[in-house]
């Protein structure tokens, strides 16, 4: 008799080949070329439970351009596995033709040219239209928000995230988890949470003093005659990746043993389906799926991956729904007698020129933005280059930020954090204040200027590289490689910590970085309390205004081997 694990894996494989009911159906949709709203929303309703997943919206109320990464390396056992596949290899893996709307949405090749044809993506008023259609078909569908929602834009910063709270409330989520939310400060988070109509879940968030759960670990729902347990898993590494002084008294962590306990608890309480709403990042979730029995579905977030098909780990299904509002996942499940018997899945691309905005939500979005329209629309300069952020080692937005730090702060070397958030701009676009804040908006923006020895710089790069390329996913603390301006280096991602970074070179002289010599370094987003300096957006604004039009040369300063 076929096992449940083999059955589910065979379902994914067959769906990928035959395009059954959404899974693997991207190639059929691509062949149509001329998209319609009906095409994008078409779904073969299945089973008795529907999950809807959005994640990593990062404050983006309006449609945006967002270029997917050119480089997304996997190390160890996950090398070459989704989501560590990009470009032509990604298209081949998922049977997507180049130049199609789906190729544009999911990959980077010819991004600027395709963007002019297919337009922006996202917009929470368009997401609302998708939700309305799903709920008309399945009224009790569960909408689950994977976090990184209350952060990432000018209006989100100015309103302490009230703009995002108001609009997301209108979408009526059933639960959410978190990461960047805590950079609002724990008092503001708790103020918002106390007023929410849905649970803010985090089974792995504990009160550090009392060693007890600080937020609800899970929520049980009755749907389609079955009990659905949704367990929240907040970003595990908040006190390392973000300033821990902003949420004193809280501890996080992967807490695999805790997840085992909670899964057993909900199973004992009669859960027929166990869903983990996670902000771990894909590879951490992949390991957790292999280590923790009893999880049916992990809705993964944090690493911004968008995959048109589920990834199976044993009997656990991993779902990746992208970022910035570009995609909405619909997952229909057939759950009978405590067993997941089958599913239908569709990653819905939110093409803003194809999907009509919901009028009520569109009006609500405009209401949030109205007090700030003059500031949002102010043109600071223009770009001759495609400005994007995603990629393991560099992005042109961060090249621009590093150039500004070196010039404005009179530094030898600049460092910009490897953030994944931040929409893209096309060549020829104006750079508005909104665009600048989309790439820099945060609650600890000070642009520091300090002296560091070559040895210290090397240690920093090695530490960040290990966060990204440690072969054990539980030691990967999220983010991409710190971006460096004014300096080049060689990285061998296959080496152990302390041995990955070599050939560090000061670009302006061509000389090797001297471990004993001091260099003036400017950067931003330090997690250390009391960091002094102007806000990063003021530094970049001054530079862009002075330049008028910015042009970013191809960045060839990082040599990568071992992948």
């Amino acid at each position: 008799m076929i096992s449940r694990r083999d059955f589910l894996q065979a379902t994914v494989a067959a769906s990928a080949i035959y395009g059954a009911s959404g899974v693997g159906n991207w190639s059929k949709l691509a062949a149509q070329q001329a998209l319609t709203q009906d095409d994008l929303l078409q779904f073969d309703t299945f089973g008795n439970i529907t999950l809807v997943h959005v994640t990593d919206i990062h404050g983006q109320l309006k449609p945006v351009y967002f270029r997917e990464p050119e480089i997304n390396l996997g190390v160890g056992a996950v090398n070459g596995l989704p989501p560590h596949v990009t470009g032509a290899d990604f298209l081949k893996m998922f049977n997507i033709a180049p130049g199609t709307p789906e190729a544009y949405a999911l990959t980077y090749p010819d991004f600027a040219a395709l963007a002019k044809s297919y337009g922006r993506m996202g917009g929470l008023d368009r997401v609302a239209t998708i939700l309305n259609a799903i709920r008309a078909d399945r009224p009790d569908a569960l909408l689950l928000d994977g976090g990184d929602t209350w952060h990432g834009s000018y209006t989100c910063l100015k309103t302490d995230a009230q703009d995002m709270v108001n609009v997301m409330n209108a979408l009526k989520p059933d639960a959410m988890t978190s990461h960047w939310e805590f950079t609002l400060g724990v008092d503001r988070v708790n103020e918002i949470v106390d007023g929410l109509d849905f649970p803010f879940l985090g089974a792995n968030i504990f009160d550090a003093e009392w060693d007890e759960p600080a937020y609800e670990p899970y929520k049980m729902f009755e749907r389609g005659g079955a009990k659905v347990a949704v367990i929240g898993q907040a970003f595990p590494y908040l006190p390392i990746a973000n300033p821990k002084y902003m949420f004193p008294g809280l501890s996080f962590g992967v807490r695999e043993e805790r997840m085992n306990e909670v899964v057993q608890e909900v199973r004992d309480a009669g859960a027929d389906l166990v869903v983990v709403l996670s902000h771990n990042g894909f590879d951490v979730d992949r390991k957790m799926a292999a280590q923790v029995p009893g999880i049916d579905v992990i809705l993964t977030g944090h690493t911004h991956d968008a995959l048109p098909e589920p990834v199976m780990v044993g009997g656990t299904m991993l779902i990746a729904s992208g970022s910035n509002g570009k995609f909405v996942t619909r997952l229909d499940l057939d759950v009978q007698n405590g067993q997941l018997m089958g599913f239908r899945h569709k990653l819905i691309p939110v093409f803003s020129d194809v999907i009509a905005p919901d009028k009520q939500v569109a009006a609500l979005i405009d209401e949030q933005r109205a007090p700030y329209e003059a500031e949002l629309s102010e043109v600071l300069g223009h770009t001759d280059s495609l400005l994007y952020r995603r990629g393991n080692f560099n992005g042109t937005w961060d090249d621009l930020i590093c150039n500004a730090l070196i010039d404005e702060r009179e530094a030898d070397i600049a460092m910009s954090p490897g953030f994944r958030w931040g929409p893209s701009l096309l060549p020829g676009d104006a750079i508005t204040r909104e665009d600048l804040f989309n790439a820099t908006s945060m609650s600890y923006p000070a642009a520091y200027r300090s002296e560091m020895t070559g040895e210290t710089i090397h240690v920093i790069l090695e530490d960040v590289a290990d966060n990204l390329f440690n072969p054990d996913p539980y030691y990967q603390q999220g983010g991409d490689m710190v971006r460096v301006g004014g300096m080049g280096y060689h990285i061998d991602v296959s080496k152990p910590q302390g041995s990955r970074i070599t050939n560090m070179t000061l670009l302006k002289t061509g000389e090797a970085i001297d471990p004993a010599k001091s260099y003036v370094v400017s950067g931003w987003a330090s997690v250390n309390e009391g960091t002094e300096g102007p806000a990063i957006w003021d530094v970049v604004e001054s530079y862009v205004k002075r330049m008028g039009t910015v042009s970013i040369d191809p960045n060839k300063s990082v040599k990568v081997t071992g992948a």
Side-chain angles (χ1 to χ4, degrees):
M1 182 176 179
I2 189 170
S3 70
R4 172 173 170 270
R5 166 183 171 175
D6 291 340
F7 170 74
L8 291 173
Q9 290 178 328
T11 302
V12 172
S15 298
I17 294 170
Y18 298 112
S21 305
V23 180
N25 209 22
W26 285 70
S27 56
K28 177 182 177 182
L29 188 62
Q32 296 172 354
Q33 285 292 339
L35 295 180
T36 69
Q37 181 168 302
D38 289 343
D39 291 332
L40 295 177
L41 301 184
Q42 188 278 330
F43 195 92
D44 184 7
T45 302
F46 178 80
N48 55 332
I49 293 168
T50 294
L51 307 180
V52 183
H53 183 228
V54 295
T55 190
D56 295 281
I57 296 170
H58 283 288
Q60 298 306 313
L61 296 171
K62 291 283 192 176
V64 298
Y65 297 114
F66 186 85
R67 178 189 186 266
E68 299 296 329
E70 182 173 349
I71 300 176
N72 184 5
L73 300 180
V75 294
V78 303
N79 184 25
L81 297 181
H84 304 293
V85 184
T86 63
D89 292 334
F90 186 102
L91 298 178
K92 182 178 180 181
M93 175 174 284
F94 293 106
N95 194 27
I96 300 171
T100 58
E102 293 68 40
Y104 162 64
L106 286 163
T107 61
Y108 73 89
D110 301 319
F111 179 83
L114 294 176
K116 293 177 181 177
S117 296
Y118 298 124
R120 290 177 170 84
M121 298 189 68
L124 292 190
D125 49 2
R126 276 78 166 180
V127 171
T129 296
I130 295 171
L131 293 173
N132 293 341
I134 294 173
R135 285 167 171 158
D137 184 42
R138 183 62 65 77
D140 62 354
L142 289 172
L143 172 59
L144 303 173
D145 173 8
D148 276 2
T149 306
W150 311 337
H151 158 270
S153 73
Y154 186 89
T155 54
C156 196
L157 184 72
K158 294 298 182 181
T159 65
D160 282 336
Q162 194 62 49
D163 64 328
M164 286 302 298
V165 172
N166 293 343
V167 175
M168 289 302 294
N169 281 347
L171 301 185
K172 296 181 170 54
D174 292 284
M176 72 175 293
T177 191
S178 58
H179 170 199
W180 275 89
E181 283 73 12
F182 279 98
T183 65
L184 294 168
V186 67
D187 290 343
R188 175 58 176 153
V189 169
N190 290 338
E191 178 185 18
I192 294 173
V193 169
D194 288 345
L196 293 178
D197 293 330
F198 54 89
F200 183 87
L201 302 177
N204 61 326
I205 310 175
F206 273 57
D207 181 298
E209 181 178 358
W210 299 101
D211 195 31
E212 60 185 22
Y215 298 91
E216 290 183 74
Y218 66 87
K219 175 74 173 179
M220 197 79 82
F221 299 91
E222 296 272 355
R223 292 294 188 274
K227 288 186 177 181
V228 181
V230 177
I231 302 171
Q233 176 80 353
F235 180 56
Y237 308 110
L238 258 156
I240 299 170
N242 304 99
K244 61 183 178 182
Y245 64 82
M246 293 183 169
F247 33 90
L250 293 179
S251 65
F252 295 80
V254 175
R255 298 184 186 270
E256 183 185 290
E257 184 176 346
R258 163 71 169 163
M259 182 59 70
N260 263 303
E261 293 171 354
V262 176
V263 170
Q264 188 61 53
E265 180 179 337
V266 299
R267 287 292 187 188
D268 291 344
D272 299 296
L273 182 78
V274 176
V275 178
V276 174
L277 179 61
S278 173
H279 207 88
N280 275 337
F282 197 95
D283 287 339
V284 177
D285 280 326
R286 188 178 349 232
K287 179 174 179 179
M288 177 176 281
Q291 299 282 103
V292 179
I295 301 172
D296 296 298
V297 179
I298 299 180
L299 303 173
T300 187
H302 178 61
T303 38
H304 290 200
D305 309 298
L307 295 178
E309 297 172 12
V311 170
M312 299 301 303
V313 179
T316 303
M317 187 186 317
L318 271 63
I319 303 295
S321 304
S323 67
N324 288 271
K326 283 182 67 176
F327 302 96
V328 174
T329 288
R330 175 174 177 174
L331 180 64
D332 279 19
L333 302 157
D334 181 24
V335 179
Q336 304 295 333
N337 301 316
Q339 290 289 310
L340 173 56
M341 305 304 296
F343 68 92
R344 299 288 185 269
H345 166 273
K346 188 172 185 179
L347 180 70
I348 303 169
V350 187
F351 289 104
S352 63
D353 292 339
V354 178
I355 297 175
D358 176 89
K359 291 182 179 179
Q360 289 184 323
V361 175
L364 180 60
I365 290 171
D366 289 343
E367 180 183 329
Q368 311 308 305
R369 292 167 56 88
Y372 308 100
E373 278 296 346
E375 298 98 316
L376 291 168
S377 60
E378 182 182 349
V379 174
L380 308 178
H382 291 78
T383 178
D384 278 344
S385 303
L386 173 65
L387 297 183
Y388 62 90
R389 173 161 276 164
R390 276 303 322 266
N392 282 162
F393 300 102
N394 68 279
T396 48
W397 253 120
D398 287 306
D399 290 338
L400 170 58
I401 291 170
C402 285
N403 291 346
L405 287 167
I406 289 172
D407 276 21
E408 297 290 318
R409 301 289 280 156
E410 298 180 339
D412 300 313
I413 295 168
M415 294 184 179
S416 188
F419 296 140
R420 292 187 177 95
W421 47 271
S424 306
L425 289 181
L426 303 183
D429 279 356
I431 302 173
T432 65
R433 176 163 281 108
E434 178 170 22
D435 298 324
L436 174 56
F437 273 74
N438 281 345
T440 60
S441 177
M442 64 186 327
S443 55
Y444 48 105
Y448 62 83
R449 183 180 188 274
S450 64
E451 289 195 1
M452 297 182 188
T453 64
E455 181 181 8
T456 297
I457 295 169
H458 183 259
V459 168
I460 290 171
L461 294 182
E462 287 284 0
D463 284 350
V464 178
D466 197 59
N467 289 343
L468 189 59
F469 299 116
N470 191 300
D472 184 343
Y474 283 1
Y475 289 93
Q476 296 173 9
Q477 295 162 6
D480 285 315
M481 189 64 183
V482 60
R483 283 72 162 101
V484 178
M487 193 190 86
Y489 63 90
H490 175 203
I491 179 170
D492 185 337
V493 299
S494 68
K495 297 289 187 182
Q497 184 176 13
S499 303
R500 293 187 178 99
I501 307 295
T502 57
N503 299 330
M504 293 166 49
T505 305
L506 190 65
L507 296 182
K508 66 182 178 182
T509 65
E511 297 174 351
I513 297 291
D514 184 341
K517 184 178 177 180
S518 289
Y519 301 87
V520 176
V521 178
S522 184
W524 63 292
S526 170
V527 299
N528 297 319
E529 189 170 10
T531 299
E532 296 182 352
I536 186 61
W537 47 78
D538 289 335
V539 173
V540 180
E541 177 177 333
S542 176
Y543 177 79
V544 170
K545 284 182 172 178
R546 182 161 54 83
M547 298 296 291
T549 298
V550 298
S551 184
I552 306 300
D553 295 329
N555 191 330
K556 300 179 180 179
S557 62
V558 180
K559 309 295 183 185
V560 183
T561 57

